[in-house]
Amino acid sequence: MAEDLLLHLIEPARWRAALDEGAVRPPSLASVGFVHLSTPDQVHLPARALYPGRRDLLLLVIDPARLTDPVRFEEGVPADPDGRRFPHLYGSLPTHAVVAVLPYRPPVPPVLPAPDDVLGRTLAFYASLPVRRAVGTGDVPGGVAVLDPDFPHSRDNNRLVLTEPVDAGTVEATAADVGGNAGWPNLTAALLWPGAGDVAAELGARGWEVEELLLMARGAGSLPGGERAEVAPQHQVHDLWDRSWRSDLPGTATDLDRVVTQLIGREQLNDRVVAVRDVVVREAGRVVAAGQVRIDGATAAVESVMTDPTARGRGHGDAVLARCLDLATAADCDLVVLEAAADDWPREWYARRGFGTVGRTWSVSRPG
């Protein structure tokens, strides 16, 4: 329940640094001995006082049960004129106590998932990441438009991220308006609210391409074989990505050069906002399988597990996934999530490895 949660406002760069350090240690910890927290009905007060007018902050959603240092409700600094008392954490804030990280965009009220709300936390991750890494954002009916003119062919970086119900006509009109002004080659929207399938189906009837995605999740913990995979610098995975994406995408050689270059180039943006680890398996020194884990507090997401066709059938995908789970466990994550196409075989592969379906979302697109 929201009343059982605590919140902390933080600048994105400080949160990214905390992910590497394992804890949030703001200046207040040294100056007054505690970390300023808020309850859900108080957070607007420090936001107005300390960050007036800003909409680029992050809201850390904290499970108090995961804190080991004491939390005391005391007068604010300065004291609140209405006599409100605020939670003060007398110690650093461990990143594994943060069950969700949300863009703070007042006056839009944030949706705060409970620590045991697996679907809510999963949706929060996939709605949050594109907003946080975007070069530009804008409020639209039902959510946010994210834009990155440096990577126009990346639909993940240029789309509508819709978390509240809207009808098909609104999606179509909004995408045409935003995408037309931004010069998107493809109009794209992620429909992330529960029950969005009817809207996706209507858009499909209007000529949009529709992809149903399963949201899958499991607890952290080990699978066998992770020792066969290693963490590698991301540039060492580029050749495998290039080969894989070229084989999957349509278009002429010139088109593919442009699109694949942008898809590879966009990947470095993720590590600016969450902690990214690229995991590989090599044969004779050559990367033949890879995957990625993205860690954001107590939640980790597995992404882009792939094996070169010439190296399949040797358990490399299992080794990559196992190492990703090991990294999530080492970061004290309790939830590991992923997206899988509803009509493709990997969903069954993940299910056999402990991932269960917790929800569905839809991605819709058509040429701009």
Side-chain angles (χ1 to χ4, degrees):
M1 299 294 290
E3 57 265 28
D4 298 324
L5 299 171
L6 297 175
L7 306 176
H8 179 69
L9 281 169
I10 192 169
E11 293 181 316
R14 287 188 178 274
W15 173 243
R16 180 62 189 87
L19 288 170
D20 286 339
E21 297 170 8
V24 177
R25 298 182 179 90
S28 67
L29 190 58
S31 61
V32 295
F34 58 77
V35 179
H36 292 273
L37 305 180
S38 303
T39 61
D41 63 345
Q42 294 174 329
V43 71
H44 63 286
L45 298 173
R48 290 174 184 170
L50 301 175
Y51 307 104
R54 289 185 59 176
R55 304 185 79 212
D56 62 333
L57 302 171
L58 300 179
L59 190 62
L60 307 185
V61 182
I62 302 160
D63 178 7
R66 306 181 192 209
L67 300 175
T68 56
D69 290 307
V71 175
R72 300 171 187 153
F73 280 77
E74 301 170 321
E75 288 189 348
V77 182
D80 184 72
D82 296 324
R84 299 187 195 217
R85 299 168 72 83
F86 292 83
H88 295 155
L89 170 62
Y90 279 83
S92 59
L93 169 58
T95 55
H96 68 257
V98 177
V99 296
V101 182
L102 310 175
Y104 185 65
R105 296 176 62 83
V108 180
V111 177
L112 308 176
D116 60 353
D117 180 2
V118 174
L119 175 57
R121 287 176 58 184
T122 305
L123 286 169
F125 178 87
Y126 286 111
S128 169
L129 181 60
V131 177
R132 290 156 59 187
R133 72 185 174 208
V135 170
T137 61
D139 294 337
V140 296
V144 182
V146 298
L147 305 98
D148 191 335
D150 291 334
F151 303 102
H153 289 281
S154 172
R155 300 183 189 187
D156 284 350
N157 297 72
N158 296 276
R159 60 177 170 168
L160 308 182
V161 180
L162 305 179
T163 55
E164 297 293 331
V166 291
D167 60 35
T170 299
V171 175
E172 199 163 47
T174 305
D177 182 36
V178 176
N181 288 331
W184 289 352
N186 293 284
L187 306 183
T188 305
L191 312 183
L192 303 182
W193 69 89
D198 290 343
V199 173
E202 184 173 344
L203 287 166
R206 297 184 182 197
W208 288 64
E209 178 184 336
V210 177
E211 181 181 25
E212 182 182 358
L213 296 170
L214 303 183
L215 300 177
M216 306 185 75
R218 57 161 284 165
S222 296
L223 289 175
E227 68 280 354
R228 294 178 47 222
E230 62 182 280
V231 177
Q234 189 170 98
H235 69 86
Q236 295 185 7
V237 193
H238 287 180
D239 184 58
L240 177 62
W241 286 345
D242 186 287
R243 299 194 306 274
S244 176
W245 288 334
R246 283 179 188 276
S247 67
D248 291 340
L249 294 170
T252 65
T254 301
D255 290 338
L256 284 175
D257 285 343
R258 181 169 58 250
V259 173
V260 171
T261 296
Q262 289 188 17
L263 293 182
I264 291 174
R266 71 178 181 183
E267 287 298 312
Q268 48 86 23
L269 298 176
N270 294 304
D271 192 55
R272 297 181 184 179
V273 294
V274 297
V276 173
R277 302 291 182 267
D278 288 280
V279 174
V280 305
V281 172
R282 305 177 195 269
E283 288 185 353
R286 179 172 178 254
V287 172
V288 295
Q292 191 177 87
V293 62
R294 302 171 179 176
I295 295 170
D296 201 24
T299 304
V302 173
E303 186 73 25
S304 302
V305 176
M306 62 178 68
T307 303
D308 189 283
T310 63
R312 289 176 182 166
R314 300 170 196 167
H316 294 336
D318 279 297
V320 167
L321 180 60
R323 187 61 185 273
C324 287
L325 289 172
D326 288 344
L327 293 168
T329 302
D332 290 324
C333 299
D334 72 318
L335 180 65
V336 183
V337 303
L338 59 85
E339 294 176 312
D343 61 354
D344 205 357
W345 66 266
R347 72 190 189 283
E348 298 173 353
W349 187 84
Y350 286 117
R352 292 193 297 270
R353 287 148 182 83
F355 286 87
T357 299
V358 298
R360 298 167 187 267
T361 64
W362 285 262
S363 177
V364 297
S365 63
R366 69 171 176 80

